[in-house]
Amino acid sequence: VVKNARIAVVKKAELRIPNQKINGYIDYEFRWKSEGYLRDFEKSKEKYLLSLVERILDLGINVLVLEKGVDDFLLEYLANKKILVIWRTPPPEIKRVVKAVNAVLVSNFDLLTPSDLGWAKIVEAKKINEQPWIFIRGCKNPKTIDVVLRGTSKYVMLDVEHTLMRSMRVARTLALDPRVVYGGGAFEMYIAEKLLEKSRELDPLDSYVFEAMSKAFESIPMILAESAGINPLDALMYLRREHHEEENYSAGVDVVGRKMTKEVNVLDSFQIKLSAIK
């Protein structure tokens, strides 16, 4: 666990001397004329690797997120310096970490400056079901967030994920436009009444269009009533009376209670309703 984490995120540079092929087309090898060369090489290798982390130590970084690898010698050295190293991080995850901690992504250790560092209250490495996880918590102004879902089977997880995504979409819609309307067919019934009133002001040919649209909107509460086991014609008469005569625009269908009610306890997002109408 690292508290008050000062986080550096590096994309391309790596803290090691590659011991395999550079890529699919370029390979290399080392040859020594005597045993002394190997000993000198190992010393110079350690000196070179330590020079790479000087910048990290100077900036007071205590969490380092890398896309590439790290030499085993440096892992132990950095651990002794109380620096948590997260290496071989996939590029999509690198971008999400940058957004979460408000860091600047750099490609070279020499380019690191104090303003490039991100911050988090806690960075924690732990295992869940023998799988390693890194948790970054308490970011000041995160531009991304992860929700970790766990369940007994793939089918349960898919169901939970689907429910969560729908809830998040509703929350996002309400955040952008907090206006709500009565559900349970009350909103559609209100529009149907207004269309019918408008049709009476028009000439006969145009009024047919408005009457037809009014009936189309009235079909929504009728379908809801029928789904709840209520006679749809009785429901329509009840709603027409409440909306037109009583001017009670909150009357609608209580699907859970399987009854008509003077005030439905369901609210719908105005933007979702508007999108459905369009």
Side-chain angles (χ1 to χ4, degrees):
V1 179
V2 177
K3 295 181 180 179
N4 195 22
R6 291 169 54 82
I7 305 164
V9 188
V10 184
K11 184 173 175 62
K12 293 182 179 179
E14 54 186 334
L15 290 172
R16 66 174 182 173
I17 297 173
N19 55 6
Q20 295 178 350
K21 286 186 176 183
I22 297 174
N23 57 43
Y25 305 99
I26 303 173
D27 202 354
Y28 66 90
E29 64 181 2
F30 294 109
R31 292 186 181 183
W32 291 276
K33 295 176 182 179
S34 67
E35 294 178 1
Y37 276 88
L38 177 59
R39 184 172 61 251
D40 292 340
F41 172 77
E42 288 296 332
K43 287 182 179 179
S44 61
K45 175 184 170 184
E46 287 186 10
K47 186 178 178 181
Y48 168 71
L49 290 172
L50 288 173
S51 71
L52 289 177
V53 301
E54 280 181 5
R55 189 70 178 160
I56 298 167
L57 298 174
D58 291 343
L59 292 173
I61 296 164
N62 52 13
V63 175
L64 185 61
V65 182
L66 299 173
E67 182 186 6
K68 301 290 186 178
V70 185
D71 192 278
D72 291 341
F73 160 71
L74 277 187
L75 275 179
E76 185 178 354
Y77 178 80
L78 290 170
N80 290 332
K81 296 286 184 180
K82 306 297 183 185
I83 297 173
L84 172 64
V85 183
I86 305 165
W87 73 100
R88 292 178 186 165
T89 311
E93 295 296 325
I94 285 269
K95 292 178 181 177
R96 291 161 80 182
V97 170
V98 166
K99 286 183 178 181
V101 302
N102 277 335
V104 176
L105 188 63
V106 296
S107 58
N108 193 310
F109 293 102
D110 294 332
L111 301 176
L112 273 173
T113 64
S115 60
D116 296 331
L117 304 184
W119 183 89
K121 191 174 182 181
I122 291 176
V123 178
E124 183 180 6
K126 64 180 181 178
K127 283 189 175 183
I128 300 176
N129 288 344
E130 300 304 315
Q131 293 293 321
W133 291 77
I134 302 290
F135 292 90
I136 301 174
R137 298 191 180 99
C139 305
K140 282 183 180 177
N141 186 26
K143 300 293 190 299
T144 181
I145 190 168
D146 288 343
V147 180
V148 181
L149 302 178
R150 298 173 63 203
T152 53
S153 70
K154 185 176 81 170
Y155 302 105
V156 171
M157 292 304 304
L158 287 172
D159 196 33
V160 172
E161 183 180 3
H162 180 67
T163 304
L164 179 68
M165 292 303 295
R166 287 180 62 186
S167 304
M168 289 172 67
R169 290 191 193 103
V170 172
R172 177 184 177 276
T173 303
L174 287 172
L176 294 173
D177 187 348
R179 290 179 293 175
V180 292
V181 296
Y182 283 109
F187 178 69
E188 288 80 5
M189 200 65 204
Y190 177 82
I191 293 177
E193 283 293 324
K194 294 301 176 184
L195 286 169
L196 202 59
E197 288 176 13
K198 183 70 176 176
S199 69
R200 299 190 184 106
E201 303 172 5
L202 304 171
D203 60 76
L205 195 60
D206 289 338
S207 69
Y208 289 141
V209 179
F210 277 75
E211 286 177 14
M213 282 299 296
S214 176
K215 288 179 180 178
F217 276 100
E218 281 185 342
S219 68
I220 301 297
M222 290 178 71
I223 291 168
L224 283 172
E226 191 172 9
S227 300
I230 304 167
N231 187 307
L233 291 176
D234 290 345
L236 183 61
M237 293 302 105
Y238 175 87
L239 290 175
R240 279 180 176 174
R241 183 176 67 254
E242 287 291 326
H243 280 255
H244 183 65
E245 296 176 10
E246 304 292 335
E247 294 188 352
N248 177 21
Y249 304 125
S250 62
V253 184
D254 181 0
V255 178
V256 177
R258 296 189 176 187
K259 62 182 181 180
M260 305 305 296
T261 178
K262 290 182 179 291
E263 184 173 353
V264 289
N265 59 356
V266 176
L267 296 174
D268 289 329
S269 165
F270 172 71
Q271 280 299 328
I272 291 174
K273 288 289 187 183
L274 190 62
S275 176
I277 291 168
K278 286 179 179 179

